[in-house]
Amino acid sequence: MASLEKPIANGFRPPAVPDIDVHGFWGDRIDAVADKTVMILYERCVAAGMFDQIDPDRPVPEVRMPFHLRSDGSPDTVNVQMFWDSDVAKVIEAAAYALYRKPNPDLEEKMDAIIEMFGRLQLPDGYMNSWFIRMQPGKRWTNLRDCHELYCAGHLMEAAVAYFHATKKRALLDIMSRYANHIDRTFGPSPGQKPGYCGHEEIELALIRLGRTTGERRYFNLARYFVEQRGQQPHYFDVEAAERGADPKQFRHRTYEYNQSHLPVRQQNKVIGHAVRAMYLYSGMADVATEFGDDTLTDALKILWDDLTTKQMYVTGGIGPAASNEGFTDYYDLPNESAYAETCASVGLVMLASRMLGRGPDRVYADIMEQALYNGALSGLATDGATFFYDNPLESRGKHHRWTWHRCPCCPPNIARTVAAIGSYMYGVSADEAAIHLYGESTARLMIGTTPVTLTQNTNYPWDGRISIEVGLDAPASFKLALRIPGWCRTPSASVQGDWLDVTPIENKGYLRIERHWQGGETIVLDLPMEARFIHANPAVKADLGRAALARGPMIYCAEEVDNASGLNSLIVEDDAKDANAGRAEGLDGAVALDLKARRERWSDWTGKLYDTEKPTIEETNVRFVPYHLWDNRAPGEMLVWVRVQR
Amino acid sequence: MASLEKPIANGFRPPAVPDIDVHGFWGDRIDAVADKTVMILYERCVAAGMFDQIDPDRPVPEVRMPFHLRSDGSPDTVNVQMFWDSDVAKVIEAAAYALYRKPNPDLEEKMDAIIEMFGRLQLPDGYMNSWFIRMQPGKRWTNLRDCHELYCAGHLMEAAVAYFHATKKRALLDIMSRYANHIDRTFGPSPGQKPGYCGHEEIELALIRLGRTTGERRYFNLARYFVEQRGQQPHYFDVEAAERGADPKQFRHRTYEYNQSHLPVRQQNKVIGHAVRAMYLYSGMADVATEFGDDTLTDALKILWDDLTTKQMYVTGGIGPAASNEGFTDYYDLPNESAYAETCASVGLVMLASRMLGRGPDRVYADIMEQALYNGALSGLATDGATFFYDNPLESRGKHHRWTWHRCPCCPPNIARTVAAIGSYMYGVSADEAAIHLYGESTARLMIGTTPVTLTQNTNYPWDGRISIEVGLDAPASFKLALRIPGWCRTPSASVQGDWLDVTPIENKGYLRIERHWQGGETIVLDLPMEARFIHANPAVKADLGRAALARGPMIYCAEEVDNASGLNSLIVEDDAKDANAGRAEGLDGAVALDLKARRERWSDWTGKLYDTEKPTIEETNVRFVPYHLWDNRAPGEMLVWVRVQR
């Protein structure tokens, strides 16, 4: 067993969700999750029969969902029922945040009942997985590659931490600690232990979370072991397959790039494979880097981060263009209409970016966290909290709509828990500094070292860039505040108690670093003017040639048929957003819409013609743009992010 | 057996290849085929070992080419070796036309030797297929769906006709007549006959050709039987599969749409499946319609023609966008860079269009024949006749180049035989009329009814639109001439003996119909001004949005990196070709290049950036366009047909 190193002092860790009271833009979203989404999620779990599988006192249910079939008709290894524990876990996690926000005895009782089921399900040795206890007994730990066993454990650990923070109830935390201890005994380099790791990463970051909450540092070591062991030779998935009598080559996804186990993690320099898995792995790596101060891991992550964000990311922060592997393809292959860009993958990118901030404030990460959060991730949840996007294209001819549910129900609870936990993404706290990564009307109760600090943000962000931050203290104290200056803002300014700061000398990696002896009651005002701007794509991105995307603040905009009639691709805007007229979007309460002058191609009748020499006539028109994440919340129709631009 | 109906009198049939002496543009191409391509084709057949399989006096060779493998690794049914007879047949056909053009005793001796091999291979009952005689004896006629057996017979029939016309030697014609008789005994509705047809259409049109040459009308009836039988229930391919103990559902291409046997032919109204198969089927249908005057078939073909040319055809006349089925996908799905657009498919479209003219001159068909011929088909053959394109994209980032050969060697001999036979596509002759479908420097010796007529075209077409046609007669005679007015020509004019004709009243379906008592020696002058023009695509074609294709006369143009530097997608042209400057393209002897003013986007450095708010600067430049079919004949690089257009 690797020796336990002390967590480094200068790492930044997120506060617990209940430490931040969130209002304003995100407050409304959290309320929608608390009021509606969480109960929808619970009911869908009931309808799917998930609790029939989990509750050991009910009859063992039949296998409900068909196995994936190989092309010759023979069954393959993965069934969504195998990872139902993780879906239930994400529901518990989202419910925990909802309960913290709004007491709800009915919901709490339901969650307690599920936790009690898990308690009854858990075996005396600590093992707890409903599929392998009830559906495939005797097969535990025989197919880590395909069966999501440690992944399920990880999500339950995250749920346990969240439920403990929200309710102070320890039951699930204790269950998952026992299970984590079992996993710790089962996996490792010692004789009799399995040198394995999960085909779907998640356990790594979950063990860090569990360790931070319980103080059990061996969970950090186990997380590090899983990270270090990945991709080592002899390859665990080969060995494991041979042990269960299977041909290692008969892997449905053909290459271990699919689950990022093709190489040891420090040798990986291309973001590849299944997008959610990649994000969860890198998140775990970043957490391990933070806890162990491991620069070699951080350096590997920086290479992967650049690879992802400079060659493989949609402007919405969507990632993973292909449905075939739910993941990455070639550099600059970012088709808009067929974009997969799974909600969970953008959530994963938010998680990764947030964890990259563990090594200290850096706009490189926080800007992308904000971009993915407000666009590719948030688009996954309708404003009323009742319907969901699984894939998030940047263009639609009118046939792409929000689901009430999905065969693979990972995204709805994932975006729900992310929205409900938004407070923990807004801040990072080290021993002597608090960083504000995201702005929004809120009150944060933080502990900087041993100093309790209250930071109250008054703002209409993200619709307006003026943020007033009040520092509340029990007693005067010295500490640093790091305030992010978003990369999209050209003319930031800031004052403390009305004194304007000279921004440039105190900016470091895109954060204003304010160090002083605080008396308490100071007001910092940050002014981040939001001007509409057009974003262009690297010309290597074929899909965006001759097009531009409109943005304002952290929001990427799109045009919808409901505002602009059909034929959005006949619209051509001038490549200048300075005259954009900002106003309220009807039917999208509070959102800022942008109106721009444009030209529209009018063609004569194309009926029965494929080609013609006749030119279109051009008419002047206006185009209304609305924030991308809000699309398909009104009348259904076409949608377009990358609009044609006049040259 | 269906009763034999008389062929109709007013059908138009193509002249035999030796009846036309072709010079000018096409003459140079035919010379390249005769001087170079034909011997290359022959040598590639030798190198592939095709003659080891055909010659019954050599040891039976091993299977050379791997079978297609199913995803589970088990072998599927198709091996290219199965259809080697057809590749050899196309080589004989191309060689026949070359021999007619230029005596070549060495080549003729080689072809005679192959024909002699086929003679020795043929079984006493007339059957003759090298795969099923030598490689899989005993399996004949057991898998018409997959094994190309009648397809091979068809190509050999075409070769026999061509070789007979060119050399007057009957050996192969006699072999193939015996084989045709065997096939006629084997297939049909009578007890003991098989009610089958081929999975790869070709035999239908070949039987018509054989019947026209031999005068054997039962070949017409057999062609009609194959056409009528296709897609009838119970489905022959199901029955046949069951008879050989196979599961009919285990069909690699899953749906009988792949080979157009999903419905009886008159019920088909969507062009679907494998593109070459579709074109060959429709060609056979058109031939049967011509010989039997069958309007019901012609009506079905008109629907399919509209479907193809108004929803599924590239502007080059390329068809079949997808590699996966070598065929058709969804309407308006015409991606440029990934276009499959197989050379053979455009050749097939030329064949179909030519045969649609069997019911009389109609520009609807002749325009597309010319478009496909000069662009999507001719691009398949390098100017020197030595290298080939299999797939013909309309955009390349610089990695698509001509092959010296291909695993599936169908395209090189197919484009070679088409070019060498171009004379037969230029004319159509009925009992009282000759139609000129294509223009080009040439002399045609035609028989209109019983009147021998010589038509001599003097022209620099396709580079210039002025055509002088001299009518040569042994004695004065009355007949009609139909002269095509291409749809691309806005201001056609025509004169006979210097007297200008009023074009409008005598134009019918895009042809000038001139009926008079000819003295002989008359000169008709046709003036078809060629102006450069931009073509726009129906906005439903996503790939061409905001783009236009430059054309002049029958030629579609493209920009190449060699003339314009890299980054062709940074070029933006004005949507007006009237100022295009026509000149000679260097290194492409005789071809007309077009130069246009344009704008070029210049971006600042994109290294390490995926998105940016900075605009490009715009610089004025010139773009040189060259005929599409000539691309990749000079320095390799990018190519683009659909250029961005200013709005």
Side-chain angles (χ1 to χ4, degrees):
Chain A
M1 179 74 72
S3 71
L4 180 63
E5 294 171 31
K6 266 180 90 77
I8 55 164
N10 65 346
F12 282 73
R13 294 170 189 79
V17 174
D19 296 341
I20 325 287
D21 295 332
V22 180
H23 310 288
F25 178 91
W26 286 108
D28 293 345
R29 291 310 187 109
I30 299 172
D31 285 340
V33 169
D35 293 342
K36 211 153 189 178
T37 317
V38 169
M39 196 53 83
I40 288 172
L41 297 177
Y42 173 78
E43 282 164 4
R44 299 280 154 72
C45 292
V46 172
M50 292 186 188
F51 303 118
D52 297 335
Q53 178 173 309
I54 291 167
D55 189 340
D57 294 337
R58 301 188 204 178
V60 173
E62 290 189 351
V63 173
R64 305 264 181 112
M65 302 291 290
F67 280 73
H68 283 283
L69 296 182
R70 294 202 184 90
S71 57
D72 64 357
S74 64
D76 204 341
T77 39
V78 181
N79 178 317
V80 295
Q81 218 167 329
M82 283 184 173
F83 47 87
W84 274 356
D85 286 1
S86 74
D87 298 309
V88 171
K90 280 182 277 190
V91 174
I92 297 173
E93 188 180 346
Y97 306 139
L99 288 175
Y100 167 72
R101 184 151 189 101
K102 296 190 176 185
N104 182 335
D106 174 51
L107 180 65
E108 186 161 347
E109 195 176 305
K110 287 182 164 64
M111 295 303 118
D112 286 341
I114 301 170
I115 291 165
E116 193 260 343
M117 270 181 223
F118 279 120
R120 283 183 282 116
L121 179 71
Q122 188 167 40
L123 300 184
D125 65 359
Y127 183 83
M128 197 200 70
N129 175 295
S130 69
W131 177 265
F132 285 103
I133 291 174
R134 306 250 298 150
M135 308 300 288
Q136 285 204 312
K139 299 280 190 186
R140 72 158 92 158
W141 309 136
T142 58
N143 186 351
L144 298 181
R145 186 190 69 190
D146 298 322
C147 296
H148 297 70
E149 207 166 354
L150 288 166
Y151 166 86
C152 285
H155 273 300
L156 280 161
M157 290 172 193
E158 290 204 84
V161 167
Y163 204 72
F164 169 70
H165 282 148
T167 64
K168 309 295 175 209
K169 293 180 183 171
R170 292 196 59 95
L172 189 56
L173 196 65
D174 290 341
I175 290 169
M176 292 316 297
S177 295
R178 284 195 294 275
Y179 192 12
N181 297 343
H182 171 85
I183 293 169
D184 188 41
R185 289 191 300 274
T186 305
F187 292 92
S190 302
Q193 287 185 306
K194 292 177 186 291
Y197 47 87
C198 194
H200 196 316
E201 304 90 328
E202 155 68 19
I203 185 78
E204 301 84 354
L205 69 88
L207 283 165
I208 298 291
R209 248 184 121 174
L210 188 65
R212 285 175 178 166
T213 300
T214 61
E216 277 283 356
R217 290 187 165 179
R218 61 177 160 152
Y219 300 155
F220 293 170
N221 283 339
L222 183 57
R224 186 164 68 152
Y225 178 77
F226 284 137
V227 165
E228 301 284 354
Q229 189 59 15
R230 195 166 204 89
Q232 301 291 348
Q233 293 294 341
H235 201 288
Y236 184 77
F237 296 155
D238 286 346
V239 173
E240 173 197 65
E243 279 177 5
R244 65 173 186 267
D247 176 1
K249 291 200 174 20
Q250 292 298 313
F251 175 40
R252 196 163 65 95
H253 301 286
R254 292 197 319 277
T255 161
Y256 290 149
E257 290 177 344
Y258 175 74
N259 55 34
Q260 300 83 37
S261 70
H262 55 301
L263 285 172
V265 296
R266 286 182 190 76
Q267 293 171 37
Q268 297 189 27
N269 52 28
K270 185 175 191 304
V271 173
I272 208 161
H274 186 273
V276 175
R277 289 172 204 242
M279 293 307 106
Y280 284 18
L281 167 62
Y282 309 153
S283 293
M285 287 164 64
D287 277 341
V288 170
T290 298
E291 293 306 335
F292 292 93
D294 186 338
D295 291 336
T296 63
L297 271 181
T298 301
D299 290 346
L301 285 166
K302 285 180 179 172
I303 291 169
L304 291 164
W305 179 268
D306 282 352
D307 187 80
L308 175 66
T309 59
T310 69
K311 298 193 187 80
Q312 307 203 66
M313 186 186 78
Y314 286 100
V315 74
T316 54
I319 53 175
S324 59
N325 65 343
E326 301 190 303
F328 299 99
T329 56
D330 297 326
Y331 288 156
Y332 307 112
D333 176 36
L334 297 166
N336 292 311
E337 193 181 356
S338 64
Y340 195 67
E342 186 183 334
T343 301
C344 280
S346 286
V347 166
L349 176 55
V350 171
M351 289 163 54
L352 169 59
S354 146
R355 283 160 171 85
M356 292 302 288
L357 295 166
R359 303 307 304 274
D362 189 336
R363 183 165 75 193
V364 162
Y365 307 112
D367 276 1
I368 299 274
M369 175 168 77
E370 187 179 58
Q371 191 173 353
L373 183 66
Y374 277 103
N375 301 288
L378 191 53
S379 58
L381 184 67
T383 46
D384 66 0
T387 55
F388 311 93
F389 276 142
Y390 192 91
D391 43 332
N392 295 277
L394 283 76
E395 174 175 0
S396 167
R397 300 198 207 187
K399 302 290 182 203
H400 189 79
H401 303 300
R402 294 174 183 277
W403 298 60
T404 51
W405 199 240
H406 196 280
R407 184 185 67 83
C408 176
C410 53
C411 293
N414 214 358
I415 183 61
R417 70 169 180 146
T418 303
V419 165
I422 194 69
S424 68
Y425 292 92
M426 295 172 73
Y427 293 89
V429 183
S430 74
D432 60 354
E433 186 167 10
I436 309 187
H437 303 307
L438 299 173
Y439 298 107
E441 180 85 2
S442 58
T443 300
R445 291 170 296 277
L446 308 176
M447 190 65 78
I448 305 177
T450 54
T451 309
V453 180
T454 301
L455 296 176
T456 304
Q457 295 189 44
N458 288 297
T459 179
N460 192 27
Y461 199 93
W463 306 123
D464 183 83
R466 187 179 168 89
I467 306 120
S468 164
I469 302 158
E470 196 179 319
V471 179
L473 292 174
D474 296 341
S478 291
F479 55 86
K480 288 179 279 186
L481 284 182
L483 309 180
R484 171 171 157 259
I485 307 295
W488 49 257
C489 182
R490 298 275 170 161
T491 53
S493 58
S495 65
V496 180
Q497 294 294 81
D499 297 332
W500 291 100
L501 303 176
D502 186 359
V503 165
T504 310
I506 58 168
E507 183 179 329
N508 183 3
K509 295 184 177 176
Y511 280 71
L512 288 189
R513 311 296 282 262
I514 306 174
E515 184 168 6
R516 64 157 72 192
H517 190 72
W518 304 86
Q519 301 301 316
E522 288 94 338
T523 297
I524 306 166
V525 173
L526 202 57
D527 196 25
L528 307 171
M530 285 185 182
E531 284 152 13
R533 65 193 185 277
F534 271 118
I535 296 175
H536 307 102
N538 187 315
V541 182
K542 189 90 180 297
D544 302 338
L545 273 169
R547 294 171 180 267
L550 189 63
R552 181 178 180 275
M555 298 287 188
I556 302 297
Y557 278 69
C558 68
E560 281 199 274
E561 182 174 335
V562 64
D563 297 312
N564 301 292
S566 64
L568 298 178
N569 268 313
S570 68
L571 296 168
I572 301 152
V573 297
E574 221 174 299
D575 188 0
D576 192 342
K578 70 176 190 303
D579 295 327
N581 190 13
R584 293 276 163 231
E586 284 162 48
L588 297 169
D589 39 9
V592 171
L594 295 171
D595 294 318
L596 267 179
K597 287 196 191 306
R599 303 158 64 108
R600 186 188 285 270
E601 285 176 347
R602 287 276 182 206
W603 294 95
S604 60
D605 189 11
W606 277 100
T607 309
K609 278 191 295 188
L610 189 49
Y611 301 107
D612 197 3
T613 53
E614 204 177 321
K615 285 190 215 188
T617 57
I618 301 293
E619 67 183 33
E620 302 293 318
T621 186
N622 284 299
V623 189
R624 162 151 289 200
F625 292 85
V626 297
Y628 169 75
H629 78 268
L630 291 172
W631 88 276
D632 200 44
N633 273 294
R634 296 173 297 163
E638 295 178 25
M639 181 278 293
L640 186 63
V641 170
W642 288 97
V643 290
R644 292 171 61 190
V645 71
Q646 203 180 327
R647 287 275 179 259
Chain B
M1 177 74 72
S3 72
L4 180 64
E5 293 172 32
K6 266 180 91 78
I8 55 163
N10 66 346
F12 282 72
R13 294 170 190 81
V17 174
D19 296 340
I20 325 286
D21 296 331
V22 180
H23 309 287
F25 177 91
W26 286 107
D28 293 346
R29 291 311 188 109
I30 299 171
D31 286 340
V33 169
D35 294 342
K36 211 153 186 177
T37 317
V38 169
M39 196 54 83
I40 288 172
L41 297 177
Y42 173 78
E43 282 164 4
R44 299 281 154 72
C45 293
V46 173
M50 292 187 188
F51 304 119
D52 298 334
Q53 178 173 309
I54 292 168
D55 189 341
D57 294 337
R58 300 189 203 177
V60 173
E62 290 189 351
V63 173
R64 304 261 183 115
M65 303 290 291
F67 280 73
H68 283 283
L69 297 182
R70 293 201 183 90
S71 57
D72 65 356
S74 65
D76 204 341
T77 39
V78 180
N79 177 318
V80 295
Q81 217 168 330
M82 284 185 173
F83 47 87
W84 273 356
D85 287 0
S86 73
D87 298 309
V88 171
K90 280 182 277 189
V91 174
I92 297 172
E93 187 179 347
Y97 305 139
L99 288 175
Y100 168 72
R101 184 151 187 101
K102 296 190 177 185
N104 181 335
D106 174 51
L107 180 66
E108 187 161 347
E109 194 176 304
K110 287 181 163 64
M111 294 302 118
D112 287 342
I114 301 171
I115 290 165
E116 193 262 341
M117 270 180 224
F118 278 120
R120 283 184 280 117
L121 180 71
Q122 189 167 40
L123 300 183
D125 64 359
Y127 183 82
M128 197 200 71
N129 176 293
S130 68
W131 177 265
F132 285 103
I133 290 174
R134 308 250 297 148
M135 309 298 289
Q136 284 204 313
K139 299 281 192 186
R140 72 158 93 158
W141 309 135
T142 58
N143 185 352
L144 297 181
R145 185 189 71 189
D146 298 322
C147 295
H148 296 70
E149 207 166 354
L150 288 166
Y151 167 85
C152 285
H155 273 300
L156 280 162
M157 289 172 193
E158 291 203 84
V161 167
Y163 205 72
F164 169 70
H165 281 148
T167 64
K168 309 295 174 209
K169 292 179 183 171
R170 291 195 61 96
L172 188 57
L173 195 65
D174 290 342
I175 291 168
M176 292 316 298
S177 296
R178 283 196 293 276
Y179 191 13
N181 297 343
H182 170 84
I183 293 168
D184 188 39
R185 288 192 299 275
T186 305
F187 292 93
S190 302
Q193 288 186 306
K194 292 176 186 292
Y197 47 88
C198 194
H200 195 315
E201 305 90 328
E202 154 70 20
I203 185 78
E204 302 83 356
L205 69 89
L207 283 165
I208 298 291
R209 250 185 118 174
L210 188 66
R212 285 175 179 167
T213 300
T214 61
E216 276 285 359
R217 290 189 166 179
R218 61 176 160 151
Y219 300 156
F220 293 170
N221 282 341
L222 182 57
R224 186 165 67 151
Y225 178 77
F226 284 137
V227 164
E228 300 286 354
Q229 190 59 16
R230 193 166 206 87
Q232 301 292 349
Q233 293 294 342
H235 201 288
Y236 185 76
F237 297 154
D238 286 347
V239 173
E240 173 197 63
E243 280 176 5
R244 64 173 187 269
D247 176 0
K249 291 201 172 25
Q250 291 299 313
F251 174 40
R252 196 162 65 96
H253 301 286
R254 292 198 320 275
T255 162
Y256 290 149
E257 291 177 345
Y258 175 73
N259 53 35
Q260 299 82 37
S261 69
H262 55 301
L263 286 172
V265 297
R266 285 182 191 77
Q267 293 171 38
Q268 297 188 26
N269 53 26
K270 185 176 192 302
V271 173
I272 209 161
H274 186 273
V276 175
R277 289 171 204 241
M279 293 307 106
Y280 284 18
L281 168 63
Y282 308 153
S283 293
M285 288 164 64
D287 278 341
V288 169
T290 298
E291 293 305 335
F292 292 93
D294 186 338
D295 291 336
T296 63
L297 271 181
T298 301
D299 289 346
L301 285 166
K302 284 179 178 171
I303 291 169
L304 291 165
W305 180 267
D306 281 351
D307 187 81
L308 175 66
T309 59
T310 69
K311 298 192 187 80
Q312 307 203 66
M313 186 187 76
Y314 287 99
V315 74
T316 53
I319 53 175
S324 58
N325 66 344
E326 301 192 302
F328 299 100
T329 56
D330 297 326
Y331 288 155
Y332 307 111
D333 176 35
L334 296 167
N336 292 311
E337 192 180 355
S338 64
Y340 196 66
E342 185 183 334
T343 302
C344 279
S346 286
V347 165
L349 176 55
V350 171
M351 290 163 53
L352 169 60
S354 148
R355 283 160 171 84
M356 292 302 286
L357 294 166
R359 302 305 304 272
D362 189 336
R363 182 164 75 192
V364 163
Y365 308 112
D367 276 1
I368 299 275
M369 175 168 76
E370 187 178 57
Q371 191 173 352
L373 184 65
Y374 278 103
N375 301 289
L378 191 53
S379 58
L381 185 66
T383 46
D384 66 359
T387 54
F388 312 92
F389 275 141
Y390 192 91
D391 43 333
N392 296 276
L394 284 77
E395 174 174 0
S396 167
R397 299 198 206 187
K399 301 290 183 204
H400 189 79
H401 303 299
R402 295 174 182 277
W403 299 59
T404 52
W405 200 239
H406 195 278
R407 184 185 67 82
C408 177
C410 53
C411 294
N414 215 359
I415 183 59
R417 69 170 182 145
T418 304
V419 165
I422 193 69
S424 69
Y425 291 93
M426 294 172 74
Y427 293 90
V429 184
S430 76
D432 59 355
E433 186 167 10
I436 309 188
H437 303 307
L438 299 174
Y439 298 106
E441 180 84 3
S442 59
T443 300
R445 291 171 296 277
L446 308 175
M447 191 66 80
I448 304 178
T450 55
T451 309
V453 179
T454 301
L455 297 175
T456 304
Q457 295 189 45
N458 289 296
T459 180
N460 191 30
Y461 199 93
W463 306 123
D464 183 84
R466 188 180 168 87
I467 305 120
S468 164
I469 302 158
E470 197 178 318
V471 180
L473 292 175
D474 296 341
S478 290
F479 55 86
K480 289 179 277 185
L481 284 182
L483 309 180
R484 170 171 159 260
I485 305 296
W488 49 257
C489 182
R490 298 279 171 158
T491 54
S493 59
S495 66
V496 179
Q497 294 295 79
D499 297 332
W500 291 101
L501 302 176
D502 187 358
V503 166
T504 310
I506 58 169
E507 183 179 328
N508 183 3
K509 295 184 178 176
Y511 280 71
L512 287 190
R513 312 296 282 258
I514 305 174
E515 183 166 7
R516 63 156 72 194
H517 191 71
W518 303 87
Q519 300 301 317
E522 288 94 338
T523 297
I524 306 166
V525 173
L526 201 58
D527 195 28
L528 307 171
M530 284 185 182
E531 283 152 13
R533 65 193 185 277
F534 271 117
I535 297 175
H536 307 102
N538 188 314
V541 183
K542 190 90 182 295
D544 302 337
L545 273 170
R547 294 171 181 266
L550 189 63
R552 181 178 180 275
M555 298 288 188
I556 302 298
Y557 278 70
C558 68
E560 282 198 275
E561 182 175 336
V562 64
D563 296 313
N564 301 292
S566 64
L568 298 177
N569 268 314
S570 67
L571 296 168
I572 301 149
V573 297
E574 222 174 298
D575 188 1
D576 193 341
K578 72 175 190 305
D579 295 327
N581 189 15
R584 294 276 163 231
E586 284 161 48
L588 298 169
D589 39 11
V592 171
L594 296 171
D595 295 318
L596 267 179
K597 288 196 192 305
R599 303 159 63 108
R600 186 189 285 271
E601 285 175 347
R602 287 275 181 207
W603 295 94
S604 59
D605 188 11
W606 276 100
T607 308
K609 278 190 296 189
L610 188 50
Y611 302 107
D612 197 6
T613 53
E614 204 178 321
K615 285 190 214 188
T617 58
I618 302 293
E619 69 183 33
E620 301 294 318
T621 187
N622 284 299
V623 190
R624 162 152 288 200
F625 292 85
V626 298
Y628 169 75
H629 78 268
L630 291 172
W631 87 277
D632 200 42
N633 273 293
R634 297 174 296 163
E638 294 178 24
M639 182 277 293
L640 187 63
V641 170
W642 289 97
V643 289
R644 292 171 60 190
V645 71
Q646 205 179 328
R647 286 275 178 261

